[in-house]
């Protein structure tokens, strides 16, 4: 900036002053209070800065935004704290955090095999287990339990084909089922 001074006789003198204009104000980060993210069938989910950013801004302009976590798996089901950081065009950085709720809504893939013959024992009874009709039931987050709706049979069922439902519950409480046919036979002579 050029400064000029005049005396009463209109004599002038000038001097130069240099002023540095600085931007020391970090970006204003505005985030959603919380965000729900759903795992896919493979147990994965991803987010980006737009997922969390609700209207962050900077008077001189935001240059870059980034997260400390982008990818989630079954291990992250529940509430997760994620931090978004922003740098403006003059290098000022600010960060803020919000909650990312990772949710698993994908039910297990229940696979069954029908059994052509389950023989009654010498007392006229048989108890089957889920493993007998399960044929590689799976879930990306893990199968917590398998159960059958019918598993005890007696002579009254001999010769019958029984529809048995296998129910699978994954580690996050999602449930699915499938039906297998079980043929009960009596092979023990009197």
């Amino acid at each position: 900036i050029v400064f000029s001074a005049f005396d009463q006789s209109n004599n002038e003198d000038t001097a130069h002053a240099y002023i540095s204009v600085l931007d020391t104000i970090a970006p204003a980060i505005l985030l959603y209070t919380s965000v729900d993210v759903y795992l896919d069938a493979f147990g994965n989910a991803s987010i980006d800065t737009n997922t969390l950013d609700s209207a962050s801004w900077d008077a001189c302009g935001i240059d870059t935004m980034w997260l400390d976590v982008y990818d989630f798996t079954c291990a992250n089901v529940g509430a997760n704290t994620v931090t978004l950081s922003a740098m403006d065009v003059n290098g000022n950085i600010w960060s803020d955090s919000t909650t990312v709720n990772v949710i698993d809504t994908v039910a297990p893939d229940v696979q069954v095999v029908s059994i052509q013959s389950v023989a009654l024992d010498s007392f006229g009874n048989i108890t089957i287990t889920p493993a007998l009709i399960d044929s590689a039931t799976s879930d990306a987050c893990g199968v917590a339990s398998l159960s059958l709706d019918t598993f005890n049979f007696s002579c009254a069922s001999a010769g019958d084909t029984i529809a048995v439902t296998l129910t699978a519950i994954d580690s996050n409480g999602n449930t699915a089922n499938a039906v297998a046919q079980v043929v009960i036979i009596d092979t023990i002579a009197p």
Side-chain angles (χ1 to χ4, degrees):
I1 295 176
V2 177
F3 287 92
S4 298
F6 297 89
D7 64 15
Q8 293 178 351
S9 300
N10 210 24
N11 296 312
E12 178 185 9
D13 192 13
T14 59
H16 295 278
Y18 296 93
I19 297 176
S20 296
V21 178
L22 302 175
D23 173 13
T24 59
I25 299 175
I29 296 180
L30 301 174
L31 302 175
Y32 294 109
T33 304
S34 67
V35 175
D36 293 341
V37 176
Y38 295 87
L39 296 175
D40 63 17
F42 301 102
N44 299 307
S46 295
I47 61 173
D48 59 23
T49 57
N50 293 327
T51 308
L52 305 184
D53 181 37
S54 68
S56 299
W57 65 280
D58 185 89
C60 294
I62 292 178
D63 180 61
T64 310
M65 296 176 82
W66 65 93
L67 303 173
D68 65 337
V69 179
Y70 289 90
D71 300 313
F72 301 93
T73 66
C74 296
N76 305 111
V77 169
N80 299 268
T81 300
V82 178
T83 301
L84 181 139
S85 300
M87 182 174 68
D88 70 14
V89 295
N90 294 305
N92 299 300
I93 297 174
W94 194 253
S95 300
D96 200 0
S97 298
T98 191
T99 300
V100 174
N101 299 306
V102 177
I103 302 168
D104 173 20
T105 59
V106 179
D109 178 25
V110 181
Q111 299 292 320
V112 294
V113 59
S114 291
I115 303 168
Q116 296 306 314
S117 59
V118 174
L120 296 169
D121 63 15
S122 61
F123 299 103
N125 299 306
I126 188 68
T127 298
I128 64 172
T129 64
L132 191 63
I133 64 169
D134 179 38
S135 174
T137 296
S138 64
D139 185 89
C141 293
V143 175
S145 68
L146 294 173
S147 62
L148 300 174
D149 67 334
T150 306
F151 48 87
N152 289 322
F153 303 97
S154 66
C155 291
S157 301
D160 293 341
T161 300
I162 310 291
V164 177
T165 301
L166 175 68
T167 300
I169 301 174
D170 72 11
S171 58
N172 295 305
N174 299 302
T175 303
N177 55 52
V179 176
Q181 302 300 319
V182 177
V183 178
I184 307 299
I185 61 171
D186 178 9
T187 60
I188 307 216

PDB file of all heavy atoms in Angstrom, residues 23-30 53 55-66 84-96:
ATOM      1  N   ASP A  23      -5.483 -16.017   6.109  1.00  0.00           N
ATOM      2  CA  ASP A  23      -6.709 -16.736   6.454  1.00  0.00           C
ATOM      3  C   ASP A  23      -6.323 -17.724   7.543  1.00  0.00           C
ATOM      4  O   ASP A  23      -5.608 -18.692   7.300  1.00  0.00           O
ATOM      5  CB  ASP A  23      -7.252 -17.478   5.228  1.00  0.00           C
ATOM      6  CG  ASP A  23      -8.423 -18.387   5.567  1.00  0.00           C
ATOM      7  OD1 ASP A  23      -8.983 -18.261   6.679  1.00  0.00           O
ATOM      8  OD2 ASP A  23      -8.789 -19.232   4.726  1.00  0.00           O
ATOM      9  N   THR A  24      -6.780 -17.478   8.751  1.00  0.00           N
ATOM     10  CA  THR A  24      -6.459 -18.360   9.879  1.00  0.00           C
ATOM     11  C   THR A  24      -7.707 -19.063  10.411  1.00  0.00           C
ATOM     12  O   THR A  24      -7.654 -19.703  11.456  1.00  0.00           O
ATOM     13  CB  THR A  24      -5.808 -17.564  11.019  1.00  0.00           C
ATOM     14  OG1 THR A  24      -6.724 -16.544  11.439  1.00  0.00           O
ATOM     15  CG2 THR A  24      -4.500 -16.936  10.565  1.00  0.00           C
ATOM     16  N   ILE A  25      -8.799 -18.932   9.682  1.00  0.00           N
ATOM     17  CA  ILE A  25     -10.062 -19.518  10.144  1.00  0.00           C
ATOM     18  C   ILE A  25     -10.277 -20.860   9.454  1.00  0.00           C
ATOM     19  O   ILE A  25     -10.325 -20.938   8.224  1.00  0.00           O
ATOM     20  CB  ILE A  25     -11.240 -18.566   9.887  1.00  0.00           C
ATOM     21  CG1 ILE A  25     -11.003 -17.272  10.673  1.00  0.00           C
ATOM     22  CG2 ILE A  25     -12.554 -19.222  10.290  1.00  0.00           C
ATOM     23  CD1 ILE A  25     -12.011 -16.211  10.420  1.00  0.00           C
ATOM     24  N   ALA A  26     -10.398 -21.895  10.280  1.00  0.00           N
ATOM     25  CA  ALA A  26     -10.592 -23.259   9.754  1.00  0.00           C
ATOM     26  C   ALA A  26     -12.002 -23.412   9.193  1.00  0.00           C
ATOM     27  O   ALA A  26     -12.905 -22.639   9.523  1.00  0.00           O
ATOM     28  CB  ALA A  26     -10.357 -24.272  10.868  1.00  0.00           C
ATOM     29  N   PRO A  27     -12.208 -24.409   8.336  1.00  0.00           N
ATOM     30  CA  PRO A  27     -13.543 -24.662   7.791  1.00  0.00           C
ATOM     31  C   PRO A  27     -14.553 -24.965   8.901  1.00  0.00           C
ATOM     32  O   PRO A  27     -14.191 -25.501   9.956  1.00  0.00           O
ATOM     33  CB  PRO A  27     -13.344 -25.890   6.902  1.00  0.00           C
ATOM     34  CG  PRO A  27     -11.887 -25.917   6.592  1.00  0.00           C
ATOM     35  CD  PRO A  27     -11.211 -25.330   7.788  1.00  0.00           C
ATOM     36  N   ALA A  28     -15.800 -24.631   8.646  1.00  0.00           N
ATOM     37  CA  ALA A  28     -16.892 -25.000   9.553  1.00  0.00           C
ATOM     38  C   ALA A  28     -17.434 -26.344   9.088  1.00  0.00           C
ATOM     39  O   ALA A  28     -17.895 -26.471   7.954  1.00  0.00           O
ATOM     40  CB  ALA A  28     -17.985 -23.939   9.518  1.00  0.00           C
ATOM     41  N   ILE A  29     -17.338 -27.330   9.955  1.00  0.00           N
ATOM     42  CA  ILE A  29     -17.792 -28.669   9.591  1.00  0.00           C
ATOM     43  C   ILE A  29     -19.180 -28.892  10.184  1.00  0.00           C
ATOM     44  O   ILE A  29     -19.392 -28.751  11.384  1.00  0.00           O
ATOM     45  CB  ILE A  29     -16.814 -29.745  10.087  1.00  0.00           C
ATOM     46  CG1 ILE A  29     -15.476 -29.565   9.371  1.00  0.00           C
ATOM     47  CG2 ILE A  29     -17.376 -31.136   9.868  1.00  0.00           C
ATOM     48  CD1 ILE A  29     -14.423 -30.559   9.766  1.00  0.00           C
ATOM     49  N   LEU A  30     -20.118 -29.246   9.318  1.00  0.00           N
ATOM     50  CA  LEU A  30     -21.484 -29.540   9.735  1.00  0.00           C
ATOM     51  C   LEU A  30     -21.787 -30.983   9.330  1.00  0.00           C
ATOM     52  O   LEU A  30     -21.736 -31.317   8.152  1.00  0.00           O
ATOM     53  CB  LEU A  30     -22.465 -28.577   9.073  1.00  0.00           C
ATOM     54  CG  LEU A  30     -22.226 -27.097   9.379  1.00  0.00           C
ATOM     55  CD1 LEU A  30     -23.153 -26.233   8.561  1.00  0.00           C
ATOM     56  CD2 LEU A  30     -22.403 -26.816  10.853  1.00  0.00           C
ATOM     57  N   ASP A  53     -21.313 -35.469   5.593  1.00  0.00           N
ATOM     58  CA  ASP A  53     -21.309 -34.003   5.493  1.00  0.00           C
ATOM     59  C   ASP A  53     -22.698 -33.462   5.185  1.00  0.00           C
ATOM     60  O   ASP A  53     -23.304 -33.823   4.182  1.00  0.00           O
ATOM     61  CB  ASP A  53     -20.327 -33.575   4.397  1.00  0.00           C
ATOM     62  CG  ASP A  53     -20.252 -32.074   4.256  1.00  0.00           C
ATOM     63  OD1 ASP A  53     -20.315 -31.380   5.279  1.00  0.00           O
ATOM     64  OD2 ASP A  53     -20.136 -31.599   3.105  1.00  0.00           O
ATOM     65  N   ALA A  55     -23.379 -29.893   5.336  1.00  0.00           N
ATOM     66  CA  ALA A  55     -23.244 -28.572   4.693  1.00  0.00           C
ATOM     67  C   ALA A  55     -21.992 -27.855   5.180  1.00  0.00           C
ATOM     68  O   ALA A  55     -22.032 -26.667   5.498  1.00  0.00           O
ATOM     69  CB  ALA A  55     -24.475 -27.720   4.944  1.00  0.00           C
ATOM     70  N   SER A  56     -20.875 -28.556   5.239  1.00  0.00           N
ATOM     71  CA  SER A  56     -19.634 -27.912   5.673  1.00  0.00           C
ATOM     72  C   SER A  56     -19.237 -26.827   4.682  1.00  0.00           C
ATOM     73  O   SER A  56     -19.538 -26.913   3.496  1.00  0.00           O
ATOM     74  CB  SER A  56     -18.517 -28.957   5.787  1.00  0.00           C
ATOM     75  OG  SER A  56     -18.851 -29.934   6.747  1.00  0.00           O
ATOM     76  N   TRP A  57     -18.564 -25.772   5.193  1.00  0.00           N
ATOM     77  CA  TRP A  57     -18.208 -24.659   4.319  1.00  0.00           C
ATOM     78  C   TRP A  57     -16.995 -23.912   4.856  1.00  0.00           C
ATOM     79  O   TRP A  57     -16.581 -24.077   5.996  1.00  0.00           O
ATOM     80  CB  TRP A  57     -19.387 -23.699   4.154  1.00  0.00           C
ATOM     81  CG  TRP A  57     -19.773 -23.023   5.446  1.00  0.00           C
ATOM     82  CD1 TRP A  57     -20.521 -23.543   6.442  1.00  0.00           C
ATOM     83  CD2 TRP A  57     -19.363 -21.734   5.873  1.00  0.00           C
ATOM     84  NE1 TRP A  57     -20.623 -22.661   7.476  1.00  0.00           N
ATOM     85  CE2 TRP A  57     -19.925 -21.523   7.145  1.00  0.00           C
ATOM     86  CE3 TRP A  57     -18.598 -20.730   5.305  1.00  0.00           C
ATOM     87  CZ2 TRP A  57     -19.733 -20.358   7.870  1.00  0.00           C
ATOM     88  CZ3 TRP A  57     -18.397 -19.561   6.021  1.00  0.00           C
ATOM     89  CH2 TRP A  57     -18.969 -19.384   7.284  1.00  0.00           C
ATOM     90  N   ASP A  58     -16.435 -23.067   4.002  1.00  0.00           N
ATOM     91  CA  ASP A  58     -15.337 -22.180   4.372  1.00  0.00           C
ATOM     92  C   ASP A  58     -15.430 -20.948   3.478  1.00  0.00           C
ATOM     93  O   ASP A  58     -15.703 -21.075   2.277  1.00  0.00           O
ATOM     94  CB  ASP A  58     -13.986 -22.876   4.170  1.00  0.00           C
ATOM     95  CG  ASP A  58     -12.834 -22.034   4.659  1.00  0.00           C
ATOM     96  OD1 ASP A  58     -12.485 -22.139   5.845  1.00  0.00           O
ATOM     97  OD2 ASP A  58     -12.286 -21.251   3.850  1.00  0.00           O
ATOM     98  N   ALA A  59     -15.237 -19.773   4.047  1.00  0.00           N
ATOM     99  CA  ALA A  59     -15.373 -18.525   3.290  1.00  0.00           C
ATOM    100  C   ALA A  59     -14.444 -18.484   2.084  1.00  0.00           C
ATOM    101  O   ALA A  59     -14.806 -17.948   1.029  1.00  0.00           O
ATOM    102  CB  ALA A  59     -15.114 -17.322   4.199  1.00  0.00           C
ATOM    103  N   CYS A  60     -13.255 -19.042   2.225  1.00  0.00           N
ATOM    104  CA  CYS A  60     -12.299 -19.032   1.114  1.00  0.00           C
ATOM    105  C   CYS A  60     -12.377 -20.300   0.262  1.00  0.00           C
ATOM    106  O   CYS A  60     -11.718 -20.407  -0.763  1.00  0.00           O
ATOM    107  CB  CYS A  60     -10.880 -18.850   1.645  1.00  0.00           C
ATOM    108  SG  CYS A  60     -10.606 -17.242   2.407  1.00  0.00           S
ATOM    109  N   GLY A  61     -13.141 -21.279   0.706  1.00  0.00           N
ATOM    110  CA  GLY A  61     -13.320 -22.508  -0.062  1.00  0.00           C
ATOM    111  C   GLY A  61     -12.630 -23.702   0.566  1.00  0.00           C
ATOM    112  O   GLY A  61     -11.499 -23.594   1.040  1.00  0.00           O
ATOM    113  N   ILE A  62     -13.328 -24.838   0.571  1.00  0.00           N
ATOM    114  CA  ILE A  62     -12.748 -26.088   1.073  1.00  0.00           C
ATOM    115  C   ILE A  62     -11.994 -26.759  -0.060  1.00  0.00           C
ATOM    116  O   ILE A  62     -12.493 -26.892  -1.167  1.00  0.00           O
ATOM    117  CB  ILE A  62     -13.847 -27.006   1.630  1.00  0.00           C
ATOM    118  CG1 ILE A  62     -14.446 -26.400   2.901  1.00  0.00           C
ATOM    119  CG2 ILE A  62     -13.293 -28.406   1.923  1.00  0.00           C
ATOM    120  CD1 ILE A  62     -15.576 -27.199   3.518  1.00  0.00           C
ATOM    121  N   ASP A  63     -10.779 -27.161   0.247  1.00  0.00           N
ATOM    122  CA  ASP A  63      -9.939 -27.829  -0.746  1.00  0.00           C
ATOM    123  C   ASP A  63     -10.115 -29.339  -0.690  1.00  0.00           C
ATOM    124  O   ASP A  63     -10.317 -29.981  -1.716  1.00  0.00           O
ATOM    125  CB  ASP A  63      -8.464 -27.466  -0.505  1.00  0.00           C
ATOM    126  CG  ASP A  63      -7.547 -28.127  -1.513  1.00  0.00           C
ATOM    127  OD1 ASP A  63      -7.699 -27.856  -2.714  1.00  0.00           O
ATOM    128  OD2 ASP A  63      -6.696 -28.942  -1.094  1.00  0.00           O
ATOM    129  N   THR A  64     -10.043 -29.925   0.501  1.00  0.00           N
ATOM    130  CA  THR A  64     -10.067 -31.381   0.646  1.00  0.00           C
ATOM    131  C   THR A  64     -10.852 -31.782   1.887  1.00  0.00           C
ATOM    132  O   THR A  64     -10.770 -31.122   2.913  1.00  0.00           O
ATOM    133  CB  THR A  64      -8.623 -31.927   0.800  1.00  0.00           C
ATOM    134  OG1 THR A  64      -7.804 -31.400  -0.227  1.00  0.00           O
ATOM    135  CG2 THR A  64      -8.594 -33.433   0.722  1.00  0.00           C
ATOM    136  N   MET A  65     -11.580 -32.892   1.757  1.00  0.00           N
ATOM    137  CA  MET A  65     -12.255 -33.489   2.915  1.00  0.00           C
ATOM    138  C   MET A  65     -11.903 -34.969   2.947  1.00  0.00           C
ATOM    139  O   MET A  65     -11.780 -35.601   1.902  1.00  0.00           O
ATOM    140  CB  MET A  65     -13.771 -33.306   2.807  1.00  0.00           C
ATOM    141  CG  MET A  65     -14.216 -31.863   2.838  1.00  0.00           C
ATOM    142  SD  MET A  65     -15.993 -31.656   2.594  1.00  0.00           S
ATOM    143  CE  MET A  65     -16.568 -31.974   4.234  1.00  0.00           C
ATOM    144  N   TRP A  66     -11.765 -35.545   4.166  1.00  0.00           N
ATOM    145  CA  TRP A  66     -11.455 -36.966   4.282  1.00  0.00           C
ATOM    146  C   TRP A  66     -12.022 -37.515   5.592  1.00  0.00           C
ATOM    147  O   TRP A  66     -12.350 -36.767   6.498  1.00  0.00           O
ATOM    148  CB  TRP A  66      -9.951 -37.217   4.185  1.00  0.00           C
ATOM    149  CG  TRP A  66      -9.133 -36.632   5.296  1.00  0.00           C
ATOM    150  CD1 TRP A  66      -8.754 -37.255   6.450  1.00  0.00           C
ATOM    151  CD2 TRP A  66      -8.605 -35.306   5.364  1.00  0.00           C
ATOM    152  NE1 TRP A  66      -8.024 -36.405   7.236  1.00  0.00           N
ATOM    153  CE2 TRP A  66      -7.910 -35.200   6.588  1.00  0.00           C
ATOM    154  CE3 TRP A  66      -8.634 -34.196   4.526  1.00  0.00           C
ATOM    155  CZ2 TRP A  66      -7.262 -34.037   6.988  1.00  0.00           C
ATOM    156  CZ3 TRP A  66      -7.995 -33.031   4.919  1.00  0.00           C
ATOM    157  CH2 TRP A  66      -7.315 -32.951   6.131  1.00  0.00           C
ATOM    158  N   LEU A  84     -14.718 -36.704  10.354  1.00  0.00           N
ATOM    159  CA  LEU A  84     -14.544 -36.045   9.059  1.00  0.00           C
ATOM    160  C   LEU A  84     -13.626 -34.851   9.279  1.00  0.00           C
ATOM    161  O   LEU A  84     -13.820 -34.080  10.216  1.00  0.00           O
ATOM    162  CB  LEU A  84     -15.883 -35.579   8.501  1.00  0.00           C
ATOM    163  CG  LEU A  84     -15.808 -34.898   7.130  1.00  0.00           C
ATOM    164  CD1 LEU A  84     -16.969 -35.349   6.251  1.00  0.00           C
ATOM    165  CD2 LEU A  84     -15.837 -33.390   7.249  1.00  0.00           C
ATOM    166  N   SER A  85     -12.612 -34.726   8.435  1.00  0.00           N
ATOM    167  CA  SER A  85     -11.694 -33.588   8.484  1.00  0.00           C
ATOM    168  C   SER A  85     -11.785 -32.819   7.182  1.00  0.00           C
ATOM    169  O   SER A  85     -12.040 -33.405   6.128  1.00  0.00           O
ATOM    170  CB  SER A  85     -10.250 -34.066   8.697  1.00  0.00           C
ATOM    171  OG  SER A  85     -10.138 -34.789   9.907  1.00  0.00           O
ATOM    172  N   ALA A  86     -11.578 -31.492   7.275  1.00  0.00           N
ATOM    173  CA  ALA A  86     -11.609 -30.638   6.086  1.00  0.00           C
ATOM    174  C   ALA A  86     -10.441 -29.665   6.140  1.00  0.00           C
ATOM    175  O   ALA A  86     -10.099 -29.153   7.211  1.00  0.00           O
ATOM    176  CB  ALA A  86     -12.933 -29.879   6.003  1.00  0.00           C
ATOM    177  N   MET A  87      -9.839 -29.430   4.972  1.00  0.00           N
ATOM    178  CA  MET A  87      -8.775 -28.436   4.847  1.00  0.00           C
ATOM    179  C   MET A  87      -9.210 -27.407   3.822  1.00  0.00           C
ATOM    180  O   MET A  87      -9.651 -27.766   2.726  1.00  0.00           O
ATOM    181  CB  MET A  87      -7.462 -29.092   4.407  1.00  0.00           C
ATOM    182  CG  MET A  87      -6.311 -28.097   4.298  1.00  0.00           C
ATOM    183  SD  MET A  87      -4.724 -28.882   3.939  1.00  0.00           S
ATOM    184  CE  MET A  87      -5.005 -29.474   2.277  1.00  0.00           C
ATOM    185  N   ASP A  88      -9.091 -26.115   4.183  1.00  0.00           N
ATOM    186  CA  ASP A  88      -9.473 -25.076   3.227  1.00  0.00           C
ATOM    187  C   ASP A  88      -8.324 -24.793   2.267  1.00  0.00           C
ATOM    188  O   ASP A  88      -7.244 -25.374   2.379  1.00  0.00           O
ATOM    189  CB  ASP A  88      -9.984 -23.821   3.941  1.00  0.00           C
ATOM    190  CG  ASP A  88      -8.894 -23.059   4.685  1.00  0.00           C
ATOM    191  OD1 ASP A  88      -7.696 -23.308   4.465  1.00  0.00           O
ATOM    192  OD2 ASP A  88      -9.265 -22.189   5.504  1.00  0.00           O
ATOM    193  N   VAL A  89      -8.552 -23.895   1.318  1.00  0.00           N
ATOM    194  CA  VAL A  89      -7.557 -23.613   0.280  1.00  0.00           C
ATOM    195  C   VAL A  89      -6.297 -22.960   0.833  1.00  0.00           C
ATOM    196  O   VAL A  89      -5.275 -22.905   0.157  1.00  0.00           O
ATOM    197  CB  VAL A  89      -8.165 -22.728  -0.846  1.00  0.00           C
ATOM    198  CG1 VAL A  89      -9.264 -23.480  -1.573  1.00  0.00           C
ATOM    199  CG2 VAL A  89      -8.683 -21.410  -0.275  1.00  0.00           C
ATOM    200  N   ASN A  90      -6.338 -22.505   2.090  1.00  0.00           N
ATOM    201  CA  ASN A  90      -5.167 -21.876   2.707  1.00  0.00           C
ATOM    202  C   ASN A  90      -4.524 -22.764   3.768  1.00  0.00           C
ATOM    203  O   ASN A  90      -3.687 -22.303   4.546  1.00  0.00           O
ATOM    204  CB  ASN A  90      -5.560 -20.511   3.296  1.00  0.00           C
ATOM    205  CG  ASN A  90      -5.960 -19.553   2.192  1.00  0.00           C
ATOM    206  OD1 ASN A  90      -5.201 -19.316   1.265  1.00  0.00           O
ATOM    207  ND2 ASN A  90      -7.176 -19.047   2.267  1.00  0.00           N
ATOM    208  N   GLY A  91      -4.908 -24.032   3.792  1.00  0.00           N
ATOM    209  CA  GLY A  91      -4.250 -24.996   4.669  1.00  0.00           C
ATOM    210  C   GLY A  91      -4.787 -25.101   6.075  1.00  0.00           C
ATOM    211  O   GLY A  91      -4.236 -25.830   6.899  1.00  0.00           O
ATOM    212  N   ASN A  92      -5.865 -24.405   6.401  1.00  0.00           N
ATOM    213  CA  ASN A  92      -6.473 -24.530   7.726  1.00  0.00           C
ATOM    214  C   ASN A  92      -7.286 -25.822   7.785  1.00  0.00           C
ATOM    215  O   ASN A  92      -8.034 -26.133   6.865  1.00  0.00           O
ATOM    216  CB  ASN A  92      -7.382 -23.334   8.017  1.00  0.00           C
ATOM    217  CG  ASN A  92      -6.604 -22.034   8.002  1.00  0.00           C
ATOM    218  OD1 ASN A  92      -5.685 -21.858   8.775  1.00  0.00           O
ATOM    219  ND2 ASN A  92      -6.974 -21.142   7.103  1.00  0.00           N
ATOM    220  N   ILE A  93      -7.146 -26.558   8.887  1.00  0.00           N
ATOM    221  CA  ILE A  93      -7.787 -27.868   9.022  1.00  0.00           C
ATOM    222  C   ILE A  93      -8.663 -27.882  10.271  1.00  0.00           C
ATOM    223  O   ILE A  93      -8.288 -27.340  11.317  1.00  0.00           O
ATOM    224  CB  ILE A  93      -6.732 -28.986   9.116  1.00  0.00           C
ATOM    225  CG1 ILE A  93      -5.902 -29.042   7.825  1.00  0.00           C
ATOM    226  CG2 ILE A  93      -7.389 -30.331   9.396  1.00  0.00           C
ATOM    227  CD1 ILE A  93      -4.754 -30.023   7.878  1.00  0.00           C
ATOM    228  N   TRP A  94      -9.819 -28.532  10.131  1.00  0.00           N
ATOM    229  CA  TRP A  94     -10.693 -28.752  11.288  1.00  0.00           C
ATOM    230  C   TRP A  94     -11.330 -30.119  11.143  1.00  0.00           C
ATOM    231  O   TRP A  94     -11.498 -30.623  10.037  1.00  0.00           O
ATOM    232  CB  TRP A  94     -11.772 -27.670  11.369  1.00  0.00           C
ATOM    233  CG  TRP A  94     -12.453 -27.664  12.702  1.00  0.00           C
ATOM    234  CD1 TRP A  94     -13.716 -28.097  12.980  1.00  0.00           C
ATOM    235  CD2 TRP A  94     -11.905 -27.225  13.943  1.00  0.00           C
ATOM    236  NE1 TRP A  94     -13.988 -27.960  14.316  1.00  0.00           N
ATOM    237  CE2 TRP A  94     -12.882 -27.414  14.936  1.00  0.00           C
ATOM    238  CE3 TRP A  94     -10.672 -26.691  14.317  1.00  0.00           C
ATOM    239  CZ2 TRP A  94     -12.676 -27.095  16.265  1.00  0.00           C
ATOM    240  CZ3 TRP A  94     -10.464 -26.370  15.644  1.00  0.00           C
ATOM    241  CH2 TRP A  94     -11.462 -26.568  16.605  1.00  0.00           C
ATOM    242  N   SER A  95     -11.683 -30.729  12.275  1.00  0.00           N
ATOM    243  CA  SER A  95     -12.290 -32.061  12.282  1.00  0.00           C
ATOM    244  C   SER A  95     -13.479 -32.083  13.230  1.00  0.00           C
ATOM    245  O   SER A  95     -13.529 -31.326  14.195  1.00  0.00           O
ATOM    246  CB  SER A  95     -11.281 -33.120  12.734  1.00  0.00           C
ATOM    247  OG  SER A  95     -10.173 -33.159  11.866  1.00  0.00           O
ATOM    248  N   ASP A  96     -14.401 -32.977  12.943  1.00  0.00           N
ATOM    249  CA  ASP A  96     -15.525 -33.216  13.837  1.00  0.00           C
ATOM    250  C   ASP A  96     -15.971 -34.665  13.640  1.00  0.00           C
ATOM    251  O   ASP A  96     -15.694 -35.270  12.607  1.00  0.00           O
ATOM    252  CB  ASP A  96     -16.674 -32.252  13.560  1.00  0.00           C
ATOM    253  CG  ASP A  96     -17.631 -32.137  14.734  1.00  0.00           C
ATOM    254  OD1 ASP A  96     -17.410 -32.800  15.770  1.00  0.00           O
ATOM    255  OD2 ASP A  96     -18.620 -31.383  14.621  1.00  0.00           O
TER     256      ASP A  96
END
